Amino acid sequence: MVVIKACVFFFLVLEVTSLLGSLRQDTEHSLWSMWSPWSKCSAACGHPGVQTRTRTCLAETVSLCNDATEEGRLCMEQACSACDLTCPMGQVNADCDACMCQDFVLYGVVSLPGGAPASGATVYILTKTPKLLTQTDSSGRFRVPGLCPDGKSILKITKTKFAPIRLTMPKTRLKAATIKAEFMRAETPYIVMNPKAKARRAGQSVSLCCKATGKPKPDKYLWYHNSTLLDPSLYKHESKLVLRNLQRDQAGEYFCKARSDTGAAKSHVARLTVIAPDETPCNPTPESYLIQLPHDCFQNATNSFYYDVGRCPVKTCAGQQDNGIRCQDAVENCCGISKTEEREIQCSGYTLPTKVAMECSCQRCTETQSIVRGRVSASDNGEPMRFGHVYMGNSRVSMTGYKGTFTLHVPQDTERLVLTFVDRLQKFVNTTKVLPFNKKGSAVFHEIKMLRRKEPITLEAMETNIIPLGDVAGEDPVAELEIPSKSFYRQNGEPYTGKVKASVTFLDPRNISTATAAQSDLNFINDEGDTFPLRTYGMFSVDFTDEATSESLNVGKVKVHLDSTQVKMPEHLPMMKLWSLNPGTGLWEEEGDFKFESQRRNRREDRTFLVGNMEIRERRLFNLDVPESRRCFIKVRAYRSERFLPSEQMQGVVVSVINLEPRTGFSSNPRAWGRFDSVITGPNGACLPAFCDDQSPDAYSAYVLASLAGDELEAVESFPKFNPNAIGVPQPYLNKLKYRRTDHEDPQAKKTAFQISMAKPRPNSAEESNGPIYAFENLQACEEAPPSAAHFRFYQIEGDRYDYNTVPFNEDDPMSWTEDYLAWWPKPMEFRACYIKVKIMGPLEVNVRSRNMGGTHRQTVGKLYGIRDVKSTRDRDQPNVSAACLEFKCSGMLYDQDRVDRTLVKVIPQGSCHRVSVNSMLHEYLVNHLPLAVNDNTTEYTMLAPLDPLGHNYGIYTVTDQDPRTAKEIALGRCFDGTSDGSSRVMKSNVGVALTFNCVERQVGRQSAFQYLQSTPARPSPASTVRGRAPSRRQRSSQGGQRWRRGAASLRFSGVAQQPLSN
């Protein structure tokens, strides 16, 4: 019978061999790796089996490897015996899985972090299956007789909430040995490298990589394609997934899951695009993109002030790649503009050149740098955290200044930015924040609010101490901390019996002003690796120290008594848990459950309490939270004006939401907040996570606000005008959501936020299926929703400034930069902003324009870079005086870094103005740095812009930064202040001035340019726009606005002066 089975098995082996192809060795061929060692025989003892070995194709194209990747051979295991385990010392045990030495005793001492004894820890010996040996006693000790000190056997010690300890048996000839071990707190896996989006052609190869940390370190990785698990035996992947000879059906979404003994974590989803070998990687036809024209450039043909210049949407494309298979491509390719066409736009008295995108192609992505800036201050009175430290993990990455400001360059490959702000003066509670940032580059500004540290009190370590949590006037505490006597101990585990200096700071969600001071982003990872949100009922930070030496103390057996009457949602009571914050990951990890107290704490107590147990060791920030699965997304967009044009959407706006729990019957009067979230707007707006309910629309409400560079944007009004078209949400869904701007009932309140009821959309309701609220599982629909879909809106108040670039560039998106000699910003990673201060003597504010042309470079001479308009700002202290900080294009190298261009700048005030003086130091500099521009027209001023960053003494303000908006903001603040290192939002017209003009008053009835713009109502853009056409204004002013009195000046180079200009 055995012979028959062997023959059948041999036949099967031959069949497999024939399918695999030739099994000859080819180790000398450069296309192949070395053969792996033969595998273990597949059959049990005494039976024939098969052994296999494999090798890997090293070529980029698998078709070059024609031979077999696997081969096999017959094998026969040794004869079966009662036990095949061999012991170098001692005897085999009855189970034939370990060696036993009856005369040896192993002693062990196990401690917790800091030295306290680890009681109740379980000790195993690792055999074919882990075998329980013993548990540690109350002092953390254990005794195991009979093991062999062979230096090979592995022990495993486990305890809840701690990472398992693996120890090797000591090797000794003695009759006893002692081992010591200390637990580390268990940490669930945390993804530190996510797979990246990639694009390939069919037949090429790609690698997707994932990496996770944790305690213990994750030891297993699983990969999923379109949510389907990939067979590990087929793909032979670990943290790196390699796909060769790609086919079209392998395109889609990929993510990995990392596992360890403490849990799992899922990576972000990466999209793999696979196109045919002859397919065009990018759509060659640009999409519509409207730019606003100057106020004196109305287009009769389109009845508008807009022009369509087109753009190529930036996305990953399948470009040229080398033969390496890497986690990150050596060259990243993006769709971008490959061909432009120069056009001339007819304006009032002059021609405006522009470059229109004509063709898109796959090319190397523009290099960008992500920057996070912010201001750190107290949540109660705005006091800045001066000279505090900013940590990323264990590394200090920045420091706050005197005004609490900080700047941080986000490291490459960062997916989740977790920062901890530490106050060296100990005024504020150390705060961990998860800050969203723009992964495509540019700077994002965050306001960081910190809780003021509670004044310390003195406790007696030998007595029971009760500390209330919550101090809202007229309200009972949310909870209480009960610290039994003799619970304090030192870091080395010794009991502490002296006086304790205690500071316990509670963040009370019943006070809505504390919402922005919430720690982290209130998320946790469940056992399957999915990220879920928490709804908080309060956070508390604890600090216990030895009163004499200030040594930090640990506390065991702490009880938390939670007043159940403070939980207004009854369904939350059985789900309430205690959580602690992992400052390295910004995630909350479970500490323990709450249970109803079996008896009242005193006879007069009518309230019912939940009690939870915890220990205070290395972590000092805790949370009373419930997991909340009722989630939705809110679609929000930010615009540059009230015209709400899709082309005027702003990126990099920080949109925040505070989840509110309304008081019964008063949905507009929230009782408490439960969660705080922030996201960054992209080219298609933002999707804000928020709690919602499909049964009760008023179960949760949301308070939404937006800011850009620290300045709040306005929401659309709800009273006295309630216009669904302006709000962006149609009826009747808008009424169900109960949209209210913050000034709805109080006209004196701010206009910078709105509140809605979070009514989850009904799946069968047509009017609720198109936004602005999306069910949690419909995140992709929210992110890809077109501008025509329902959404909520914020907008920027139109200032008295206007920018026009001949080569269009979106300052919110550095990746929109185009290589061109006429680009306003010649380098995409370095933005240099220049301003000149112009003083106006006259009773009215005046519009001032700078016209910027190539001056000395052979490729740009006489060609327009762009224009800038700004309205002068009246001096608060002086009548008939105003000043303007006017941007001009800096001189310097162009994009090819070949030679510099001295920009020819014309400064032209509007109206009847004439120049009365020029800053003497600026004039002297220009005279000494020839050529000198002609200035024979006293109604304007022309100069070849200085190459040097001069400063306030010259009336010139120059700032270089990796973000264009930041560079302009800093330079503008210095210009207003009239200094080279200060900043002000109040115009100081008598200091740091470059040019002075005397402007007479206009005739009665003549409008200024900005009055003309404000008096001309606008309407939304039509659904489709022809290239070169744009949305029209509802009507055109009969007066036509104030035109430039000088005919807008020629765009030609004005020549070189023979004589210096006299003041």
Side-chain angles (χ1 to χ4, degrees), residues 14 23 52 168 196 236 322 379 469 482 762 829 994 1052:
L14 291 178
L23 297 181
T52 61
T168 303
K196 296 184 176 298
K236 295 181 172 57
D322 57 20
S379 61
L469 301 178
E482 179 183 346
R762 294 171 295 176
M829 290 282 285
R1052 295 179 296 105

Side-chain angles (χ1 to χ4, degrees), residues 206-221:
V206 71
S207 67
L208 302 173
C209 300
C210 174
K211 184 180 179 182
T213 61
K215 296 178 182 177
K217 187 178 179 180
D219 54 4
K220 187 175 183 180
Y221 288 86

Side-chain angles (χ1 to χ4, degrees), residues 850-852 888-889 903-907 941-945:
S850 73
R851 182 177 301 278
N852 304 267
F888 64 90
K889 187 189 179 303
T903 309
L904 183 68
V905 180
K906 282 182 177 291
V907 179
Y941 182 74
T942 305
M943 69 174 180
L944 285 165

Side-chain angles (χ1 to χ4, degrees), residues 456-467 481-489 495-503 544-548 553-556:
I457 59 176
T458 300
L459 306 178
E460 293 290 344
M462 302 304 290
E463 298 177 1
T464 298
N465 296 278
I466 303 294
I467 302 175
L481 289 184
E482 179 183 346
I483 305 176
S485 61
K486 304 178 183 179
S487 296
F488 291 96
Y489 58 94
Y496 178 77
T497 59
K499 293 184 180 296
V500 178
K501 190 177 180 181
S503 174
F544 299 115
T545 58
D546 181 341
E547 189 179 50
L553 300 174
N554 295 337
V555 193

Side-chain angles (χ1 to χ4, degrees), residues 793-854:
R793 295 166 171 173
F794 287 92
Y795 64 93
Q796 198 173 37
I797 300 297
E798 284 192 277
D800 293 340
R801 285 184 287 180
Y802 169 76
D803 297 353
Y804 174 82
N805 298 325
T806 298
V807 179
F809 173 69
N810 183 357
E811 293 179 357
D812 296 336
D813 182 11
M815 296 189 75
S816 67
W817 181 82
T818 305
E819 285 187 357
D820 197 289
Y821 283 108
L822 291 177
W824 185 276
W825 308 98
K827 296 176 66 176
M829 290 282 285
E830 181 179 288
F831 298 92
R832 190 181 183 198
C834 295
Y835 282 80
I836 184 170
K837 193 167 187 176
V838 182
K839 183 177 180 180
I840 303 295
M841 308 293 294
L844 298 177
E845 296 171 333
V846 171
N847 191 39
V848 186
R849 169 173 291 184
S850 73
R851 182 177 301 278
N852 304 267
M853 293 173 286

Side-chain angles (χ1 to χ4, degrees), residues 677-754:
D677 276 291
S678 293
V679 295
I680 302 296
T681 58
N684 198 35
C687 294
L688 273 168
F691 297 142
C692 61
D693 195 279
D694 56 354
Q695 301 297 323
S696 175
D698 292 331
Y700 276 116
S701 62
Y703 182 89
V704 185
L705 59 159
S707 65
L708 178 67
D711 294 326
E712 295 177 321
L713 305 185
E714 279 202 12
V716 180
E717 70 175 341
S718 60
F719 183 83
K721 294 180 181 179
F722 189 79
N723 185 353
N725 291 331
I727 295 171
V729 182
Q731 295 286 27
Y733 197 19
L734 184 59
N735 279 341
K736 184 178 180 180
L737 298 176
K738 299 181 180 179
Y739 177 89
R740 296 289 185 271
R741 194 168 70 174
T742 41
D743 66 339
H744 185 83
E745 297 175 352
D746 180 9
Q748 302 302 317
K750 283 187 174 183
K751 305 175 182 179
T752 54
F754 65 84

Side-chain angles (χ1 to χ4, degrees), residues 64-140:
L64 298 177
C65 301
N66 298 319
D67 296 328
T69 60
E70 185 175 6
E71 69 177 11
R73 69 181 183 186
L74 285 176
C75 59
M76 178 72 75
E77 276 294 333
Q78 61 185 5
C80 297
S81 60
C83 180
D84 57 357
L85 178 64
T86 303
C87 292
M89 63 170 57
Q91 298 178 345
V92 178
N93 66 357
D95 295 329
C96 189
D97 58 7
C99 299
M100 306 299 294
C101 297
Q102 298 298 330
D103 55 349
F104 180 80
V105 178
L106 177 69
Y107 297 94
V109 181
V110 187
S111 60
L112 299 176
S119 60
T122 306
V123 183
Y124 299 88
I125 185 170
L126 296 184
T127 57
K128 294 179 180 178
T129 58
K131 182 174 292 186
L132 175 64
L133 297 177
T134 185
Q135 283 191 327
T136 58
D137 58 19
S138 58
S139 60

